[in-house]
Amino acid sequence: MVKESIFHRLYDLYHQDVFQFLIYMVKNRSVAEDLSHEVYVRVLKSYERFQGRSTEKTWLFAIAKNVAIDYFRKNAVRSSHAFDAFNWETDNLVSPMKSPDLLTELNDEMRELLEALEKCTGDQKMVIIMRYFQELSIAETAAILNWTEGKVKTTQHRAINKLREILTTTTEEKEANRG
């Protein structure tokens, strides 16, 4: 009974944030819902092992991060039909969905940003989503990713530079096509 009440409390407090994080990662509402359910299945199975070294929120996001990485690994293996080592830190976490339902709800600038994010490495994408979409602190992001705060700051800096470069190129191409 205690486990159930803890589960409901965590679900009520963080479900929307976890779902939003996953939808930004996979860009598909139904896949994000499935992955969100998987997060809470893992929470139920492993809450006894939660040691309180981090907040429940960072622990929950760490589980969500792992569920998302597992999803991308499975898709990478399925699409290549051979097991190539998938490195989420350096490989791009590209959603298999080409015209996700999420993108139809967004303005042009946000759509361009999310498309540019697809061209970043997995660790850059994860940091940008956690820091700017989920508004997590550097400390929380570091705890979730099991990194130092310095690595989060460096990755964030590189991601912002890459996004700036991608978005500047995209804007220049659009202007050249108009002229």
Side-chain angles (χ1 to χ4, degrees):
M1 192 64 176
V2 172
K3 191 178 192 180
E4 245 179 65
S5 65
I6 291 169
F7 174 82
H8 287 297
R9 182 178 54 77
L10 289 174
Y11 185 87
D12 290 344
L13 282 173
Y14 302 116
H15 172 71
Q16 198 56 42
D17 290 337
V18 168
F19 176 71
Q20 218 173 24
F21 168 73
L22 290 168
I23 205 165
Y24 282 123
M25 290 299 296
V26 300
K27 295 194 324 251
N28 179 286
R29 188 173 299 281
S30 64
V31 171
E33 286 171 0
D34 291 345
L35 295 179
S36 186
H37 292 297
E38 176 61 25
V39 167
Y40 286 98
V41 166
R42 291 186 189 185
V43 165
L44 271 174
K45 289 180 179 176
S46 63
Y47 192 80
E48 298 86 34
R49 294 191 303 274
F50 175 66
Q51 297 173 348
R53 286 193 215 131
S54 65
T55 65
E56 289 174 330
K57 180 180 180 180
T58 57
W59 177 70
L60 202 58
F61 269 91
I63 293 171
K65 171 205 71 163
N66 291 333
V67 167
I69 290 169
D70 290 348
Y71 167 78
F72 285 111
R73 280 189 181 130
K74 286 175 188 167
N75 279 334
V77 170
R78 279 189 199 126
S79 65
S80 69
H81 300 294
F83 182 77
D84 294 324
F86 179 85
N87 183 343
W88 74 273
E89 289 186 4
T90 56
D91 292 349
N92 290 8
L93 299 180
V94 178
S95 172
M97 311 302 159
K98 293 300 175 208
S99 58
D101 46 349
L102 169 72
L103 290 184
T104 60
E105 301 169 14
L106 302 173
N107 66 34
D108 288 342
E109 287 177 359
M110 188 63 157
R111 191 176 302 122
E112 284 179 21
L113 177 61
L114 287 175
E115 287 171 2
L117 206 50
E118 288 290 305
K119 297 174 184 167
C120 291
T121 64
D123 60 345
Q124 291 170 345
K125 181 177 181 179
M126 199 86 66
V127 167
I128 293 298
I129 290 170
M130 288 180 182
R131 293 281 297 124
Y132 296 103
F133 292 71
Q134 297 307 128
E135 300 178 356
L136 297 172
S137 69
I138 287 173
E140 288 172 320
T141 303
I144 290 165
L145 297 173
N146 199 22
W147 292 357
T148 64
E149 289 184 20
K151 183 173 180 180
V152 171
K153 289 176 186 176
T154 301
T155 303
Q156 176 180 308
H157 178 74
R158 289 179 180 154
I160 289 169
N161 286 341
K162 181 153 188 178
L163 287 170
R164 187 178 293 127
E165 175 188 319
I166 293 165
L167 293 170
T168 300
T169 303
T170 303
T171 302
E172 288 170 357
E173 287 171 359
K174 282 182 181 178
E175 288 173 4
N177 289 336
R178 280 190 212 135

